[in-house]
Amino acid sequence: MFCAISGTVPEEPVVSKISGHLFEKRLIEKHIKDTGKDPVTGVEISVDELLVVKNNTNLKPRPSPATSIPGLLGLLQNEWDAVMLEQHSLRQNLQNTRQELSHSLYQHDGAVRVIARLKKERDEARRALESAVRAPPAPVPEPVEAPPDMANGKRAAENGTEGGGKRAKAGITDDIIEVLTSTSAELSKGRRKRPMPAGLASAGTIEQYGLLSSHPLHKTSEGGITAIDLSPSSEDIVASAGRDHSVQIYDRAQGRKVGELTGHTKRVTDVKFLGHQDLMVTTSADKTSRLWAVDGDAYKCKAVLSDHSAEVVGVALHPTNKYFITASADRSWAFYDLDSMLCMAQMTSPTIDSAYSSVALHPDGQILGTGTDDAVVHVWETRSQNNVAKFETKASAPVTGISFSENGYFLATAAGDSVKLWDLRKLKNIKTIVPYENGAPVTSVRFDNSGQYLAVGGMDARIYGVKQEWQLLSTLSDLPQKGQHSVLSCTWNKPATKLFVGSVDHNLRVFGPPAA
């Protein structure tokens, strides 16, 4: 039976009650909808006058080619060709998938190897850093003859003239290592129980900070205060190092200068009181460090230390007040014994090819941090003089400031336009602060004596709260501007009630809460 319209075997056959002809249901319904008439007789007809013929739907009507043997052979040939083409396509897809899988497995294997190597290096660095505090004393290095350009200067005469002698470095002796180890153990053990400084400023007090006083200490022709230190005897005695080659000692209580250190031939880069008010050390761009002591009613140079062959960028005092460390642009740092006024050891590293730009000691005295011109901070173990870790700030400018927190495990570094906070326990960066939206550089950074606040200097001075999740507490903008620079140095008094700021002009400025 064939459809009267298409001439093929219908899949859904229906019969017209009017004419008795057989039709494909979908074709006749469409024809009736368009014309309303029977396609054979032309008599008007409706869909309701169609009678559905039941058939077995499991068996499809055989196409006309399949009704003969040649037709069947042709159908089989077409089916075979289609199967072969599909199989070829599947084989190509399988080969491409295998190649992609092999490449992915190779990349995964490489990534696993790199991760394993990095984890190993991380674990070794952690163990080395932990040993810097907890390990037994390291063996003393064999004494070596100092290179001619790093030879030790003899003690200067009482009139401050330089000595020209050269001597071998004795190395850090067993006695010194014992002192370093016992001091570190004692300070580390007592840190958690150490009370906060009496009268420590609250976050609310910090927010009220303003300019209290300004003191013109240095020459106006070569302004710029590069470093500040407070006397251990009285916070009113302030030493400021200047670009005018001098150090000025100022008594805030009396409102006058009480001393002046002159002798350096280039800018003074750092100054520190050595345990008490009568003894100081200074470093300079003239490649020397000088020891100063009170003689009568004035400070006089007692020794000129000429161990470095380039600018001495800073000095760090050990908590025993018996030793100090200087760092230089000649890519070395030197360990000095204050009693003998001699350099006991001078360290360089073949892996460091950039000049040092800053230096700081951990509060326990066992870990030394040195910043370089290529924006890397190297961490050293002072007893063994081993470089145990390094932090890459990824800045495009030198490390201008390093400060260890009194809590023992935070380290702040300033480089380029940002301050990075590092966790010494995990050896990773935990916070990055970008103080200025215009990308102005950060020039100094300093934790207070309690480790609760962080001062940052650049275009202005800013104070961040450690317990406040490093939130900005105060901005001190009453400062002169010179390009994108304003602050060159800063330091706190013990209770953090005052911040002393050295700026690009010749004035020392003191900030604090307004007087009650």
Side-chain angles (χ1 to χ4, degrees):
M1 300 291 289
F2 301 98
C3 173
I5 297 176
S6 63
T8 60
V9 179
E11 293 183 1
E12 294 182 85
V14 293
V15 176
S16 171
K17 295 180 180 179
I18 301 300
S19 63
H21 288 93
L22 182 71
F23 300 99
E24 176 71 53
K25 183 179 180 181
R26 59 182 176 81
L27 295 179
I28 187 61
E29 286 182 349
K30 184 177 180 181
H31 183 82
I32 293 173
K33 183 178 179 181
D34 292 339
T35 64
K37 296 181 179 181
D38 187 298
V40 178
T41 62
V43 178
E44 292 186 357
I45 189 174
S46 66
V47 174
D48 295 333
E49 294 177 302
L50 298 176
L51 180 64
V52 177
V53 179
K54 293 183 179 180
N55 66 337
N56 187 357
T57 57
N58 293 326
L59 297 175
K60 298 294 182 182
R62 183 177 295 177
S64 55
T67 58
S68 64
I69 292 178
L72 286 173
L73 292 176
L75 289 176
L76 291 175
Q77 182 65 48
N78 292 337
E79 289 291 333
W80 172 261
D81 293 342
V83 169
M84 291 299 101
L85 290 173
E86 182 179 4
Q87 186 178 33
H88 177 70
S89 176
L90 290 175
R91 285 176 177 175
Q92 283 186 325
N93 292 336
L94 177 61
Q95 182 64 23
N96 292 336
T97 303
R98 283 178 175 174
Q99 291 179 348
E100 292 175 1
L101 179 60
S102 176
H103 183 66
S104 298
L105 290 175
Y106 178 78
Q107 287 184 322
H108 178 268
D109 183 64
V112 169
R113 291 175 183 273
V114 171
I115 292 172
R117 177 175 58 81
L118 292 176
K119 284 184 176 180
K120 181 179 178 181
E121 292 177 356
R122 180 202 64 186
D123 295 340
E124 290 175 352
R126 282 180 176 175
R127 288 193 292 270
L129 187 59
E130 290 175 357
S131 68
V133 179
R134 301 185 180 90
V140 180
E142 291 294 329
V144 295
E145 187 69 27
D149 60 342
M150 296 182 181
N152 185 75
K154 290 183 178 179
R155 295 189 187 187
E158 292 297 316
N159 61 5
T161 59
E162 297 185 21
K166 301 177 182 178
R167 66 177 71 232
K169 305 295 189 293
I172 300 179
T173 64
D174 287 337
D175 291 339
I176 295 176
I177 288 177
E178 184 176 353
V179 172
L180 298 180
T181 304
S182 60
T183 301
S184 174
E186 182 180 354
L187 292 175
S188 179
K189 182 178 180 181
R191 173 166 289 110
R192 293 183 179 179
K193 299 179 180 180
R194 186 177 68 92
M196 289 294 175
L200 177 66
S202 65
T205 301
I206 297 292
E207 292 173 354
Q208 299 175 11
Y209 262 36
L211 181 63
L212 300 180
S213 60
S214 179
H215 312 282
L217 301 183
H218 293 267
K219 296 177 182 178
T220 57
S221 59
E222 296 182 87
I225 297 176
T226 57
I228 306 170
D229 197 29
L230 305 184
S231 167
S233 306
S234 171
E235 67 178 42
D236 288 328
I237 305 297
V238 185
S240 66
R243 289 175 172 172
D244 59 359
H245 312 170
S246 73
V247 173
Q248 303 296 329
I249 303 170
Y250 183 76
D251 189 333
R252 293 182 60 249
Q254 298 182 29
R256 65 182 183 89
K257 294 181 183 179
V258 294
E260 182 179 21
L261 312 184
T262 58
H264 286 295
T265 58
K266 294 184 178 180
R267 73 179 184 279
V268 183
T269 56
D270 205 354
V271 59
K272 289 288 189 298
F273 285 98
L274 296 175
H276 52 84
Q277 189 172 315
D278 296 338
L279 190 61
M280 302 175 69
V281 60
T282 58
T283 60
S284 171
D286 64 9
K287 307 178 186 179
T288 68
S289 304
R290 291 178 179 247
L291 291 173
W292 308 80
V294 172
D295 188 352
D297 58 352
Y299 285 88
K300 291 188 178 179
C301 182
K302 296 300 181 182
V304 178
L305 309 172
S306 305
D307 298 279
H308 293 293
S309 59
E311 174 182 343
V312 187
V313 298
V315 60
L317 178 64
H318 191 269
T320 59
N321 297 320
K322 296 180 179 180
Y323 317 104
F324 62 90
I325 294 174
T326 59
S328 169
D330 65 5
R331 305 193 300 276
S332 74
W333 58 268
F335 184 97
Y336 290 92
D337 176 29
L338 187 56
D339 290 338
S340 64
M341 290 188 286
L342 293 176
C343 178
M344 307 304 294
Q346 187 167 4
M347 289 304 302
T348 59
S349 172
T351 62
I352 299 175
D353 56 4
S354 183
Y356 290 138
S357 56
S358 53
V359 63
L361 258 176
H362 188 274
D364 294 346
Q366 286 285 53
I367 299 175
L368 175 72
T370 55
T372 61
D373 282 349
D374 60 358
V376 177
V377 177
H378 296 273
V379 180
W380 303 79
E381 203 276 326
T382 53
R383 294 173 303 183
S384 62
Q385 302 103 61
N386 288 327
N387 189 189
V388 296
K390 72 175 182 178
F391 300 128
E392 297 182 359
T393 66
K394 302 187 185 304
S396 57
V399 178
T400 53
I402 301 175
S403 182
F404 288 94
S405 171
E406 187 61 33
N407 66 16
Y409 50 84
F410 283 157
L411 170 65
T413 61
D417 63 352
S418 66
V419 174
K420 290 188 179 291
L421 286 309
W422 309 86
D423 191 328
L424 296 176
R425 300 166 298 181
K426 301 177 181 178
L427 296 178
K428 70 175 185 178
N429 175 225
I430 58 171
K431 178 73 175 179
T432 298
I433 300 173
V434 181
Y436 310 111
E437 294 181 356
N438 62 355
V442 180
T443 53
S444 61
V445 63
R446 182 66 64 91
F447 280 106
D448 78 302
N449 202 51
S450 67
Q452 301 297 303
Y453 307 110
L454 177 68
V456 174
M459 289 184 63
D460 52 30
R462 302 190 174 198
I463 302 174
Y464 295 84
V466 177
K467 287 192 173 181
Q468 289 75 30
E469 301 293 333
W470 309 102
Q471 293 298 311
L472 178 64
L473 300 180
S474 182
T475 299
L476 312 175
S477 55
D478 194 359
L479 293 159
Q481 292 291 329
K482 187 175 181 181
Q484 291 186 317
H485 295 82
S486 178
V487 177
L488 297 180
S489 57
C490 60
T491 194
W492 299 85
N493 67 342
K494 286 187 177 179
T497 55
K498 293 182 179 67
L499 180 66
F500 296 78
V501 176
S503 57
V504 291
D505 66 357
H506 60 291
N507 289 285
L508 170 70
R509 289 173 171 80
V510 184
F511 293 88

